[in-house]
Amino acid sequence: MPLTLFSHARCALHNPDPEHPEQPARLHAINDQLVRSGLEYVIKQVDARPAEASDLYRAHSKLYIEELFAKAPREGQIWLDPDTPMTPKSLPAALLAAGSGIQAVDEVMQADNQQAFCAIRPPGHHATADQAMGFCLLNNIAIAASYALDKYQLKRVAIVDFDVHHGNGTEAIFRHDERVLFCSSYQQALYPNSGDDTSSERVLNLPLPAGCKGEQWRTAVQQRWFAALDAFAPELIFISAGFDGHAEDEMSQFLLKEDDYAWLTGQLKQLANRHCNGRIVSMLEGGYDLSSLGRSVVAHLKAML
């Protein structure tokens, strides 16, 4: 099967607060839509394994990881920042989320025309090398990309982040790494209020206004990213797949639909076919309206297939 889905039931045990938008029901909604769509029967599903500390050090400082382990509560919860709670089940879930990306890299690098999707939580793209933030404890996509660069000695990888929030943590980790081309589309003046002023040939940020519809988003993405991605010729494409720009998601004021996510995924699949034998690793980031999240993930996976 050309598409493998990595996940783990323990990723749903990170359950900080019933009112918190980053909730276990997100994974349940995805699973429900996979069954309803029939995709459950045409993709391979694999349990994630936790990342090792040595894997985390590729993207995070040793001090930060040691402090994160030391802070992990045995009961109750603590707050790592105003948006990011941590319970006794949070660190195990985060290690599984990070580990899934490493497994996904191995899966796609050891076969041609292979894609992988990691249905995991907590998300990761706001976590910097030494700071948790924005629901994110570990930067899952940065850990996976760093592993791919190290283990497989890749010279060029692309990370495309279409979450409605700027992937500030991923940008900060790779901003000065010539081997990584980072593309992030996001709503202007939205958390974490970063990215607009970045000046780097290896960072292609795409801030767009509130109310952005699919046609405007597609045009901007096409003009800003595709020629650069083609010229970069990545040996592996990573996707930070956030679906919180959907019109039904109250986390933002974007007005995207499932077809928009499927369109971009299809374009990235064509790029992957041209440059890296179809190899794509996609990892779940945002998406907080449960119905639109499940439908969007299905559209994303169908476009990869």
Side-chain angles (χ1 to χ4, degrees), residues 247-264:
E248 296 172 23
D249 199 310
E250 295 182 357
M251 190 63 75
S252 76
Q253 290 78 47
F254 268 21
L255 299 171
L256 304 183
K257 300 291 181 65
E258 298 97 299
D259 286 350
D260 298 311
Y261 296 122
W263 169 80
L264 177 53

Side-chain angles (χ1 to χ4, degrees), residues 180-191:
V180 179
L181 180 64
F182 178 64
C183 307
S184 179
S185 67
Y186 56 92
Q187 182 178 317
Q188 284 177 305
L190 196 66
Y191 182 91

Side-chain angles (χ1 to χ4, degrees), residues 22-293:
E22 208 291 285
Q23 58 182 279
R26 299 178 67 227
L27 295 186
H28 304 324
I30 291 171
N31 290 335
D32 288 347
Q33 287 292 337
L34 287 174
V35 173
R36 188 170 301 170
S37 68
L39 276 180
E40 182 189 35
Y41 304 105
V42 298
I43 62 176
K44 182 169 70 171
Q45 299 192 53
V46 177
D47 276 349
R49 296 191 301 269
E52 303 288 340
S54 57
D55 299 318
L56 310 182
Y57 297 153
R58 292 189 181 96
H60 294 281
S61 72
K62 187 175 182 182
L63 177 61
Y64 170 65
I65 296 303
E66 290 174 347
E67 289 181 345
L68 190 66
F69 274 76
K71 288 177 180 177
R74 296 186 178 183
E75 59 183 9
Q77 69 178 26
I78 62 171
W79 290 82
L80 301 174
D81 84 338
D83 301 302
T84 313
M86 190 181 192
T87 73
K89 305 290 187 181
S90 299
L91 185 57
L95 291 172
L96 286 164
S100 73
I102 292 168
Q103 287 173 269
V105 168
D106 286 338
E107 182 86 358
V108 304
M109 289 303 299
Q110 293 170 16
D112 289 339
N113 190 30
Q114 184 70 37
Q115 299 86 46
F117 179 70
C118 301
I120 41 81
R121 51 182 297 279
H125 70 153
H126 293 310
T128 67
D130 54 11
Q131 183 180 357
M133 62 182 295
F135 311 164
C136 305
L137 279 69
L138 300 170
N139 196 310
N140 305 316
I141 205 88
I143 291 165
S146 298
Y147 172 78
L149 290 164
D150 185 17
K151 172 71 179 293
Y152 294 96
Q153 296 295 295
L154 300 183
K155 297 180 175 63
R156 297 174 309 281
V157 303
I159 302 175
V160 176
D161 185 333
F162 58 71
D163 191 280
V164 81
H165 303 91
H166 175 233
N168 63 297
T170 311
E171 177 186 308
I173 289 168
F174 290 120
R175 184 181 299 146
H176 303 297
D177 193 328
E178 292 293 313
R179 301 170 297 173
V180 179
L181 180 64
F182 178 64
C183 307
S184 179
S185 67
Y186 56 92
Q187 182 178 317
Q188 284 177 305
L190 196 66
Y191 182 91
N193 299 301
S194 60
D196 293 15
D197 300 327
T198 300
S199 178
S200 170
E201 292 182 358
R202 288 289 183 264
V203 177
L204 302 180
N205 286 334
L206 184 55
L208 293 164
C212 179
K213 295 181 179 180
E215 183 178 355
Q216 179 184 0
W217 181 74
R218 293 187 194 202
T219 299
V221 163
Q222 190 161 16
Q223 292 175 347
R224 178 70 170 146
W225 290 352
F226 291 165
L229 283 163
D230 238 345
F232 187 65
E235 297 171 291
L236 178 57
I237 294 176
F238 289 90
I239 302 175
S240 270
F243 302 97
D244 38 5
H246 195 283
E248 296 172 23
D249 199 310
E250 295 182 357
M251 190 63 75
S252 76
Q253 290 78 47
F254 268 21
L255 299 171
L256 304 183
K257 300 291 181 65
E258 298 97 299
D259 286 350
D260 298 311
Y261 296 122
W263 169 80
L264 177 53
T265 306
Q267 297 296 315
L268 295 175
K269 178 74 183 295
Q270 291 180 32
L271 279 162
N273 288 341
R274 283 199 296 276
H275 298 296
C276 49
N277 295 319
R279 295 177 176 127
I280 296 174
V281 171
S282 177
M283 304 190 76
L284 181 65
E285 299 286 358
Y288 305 100
D289 174 80
L290 300 180
S291 176
S292 64
L293 170 62

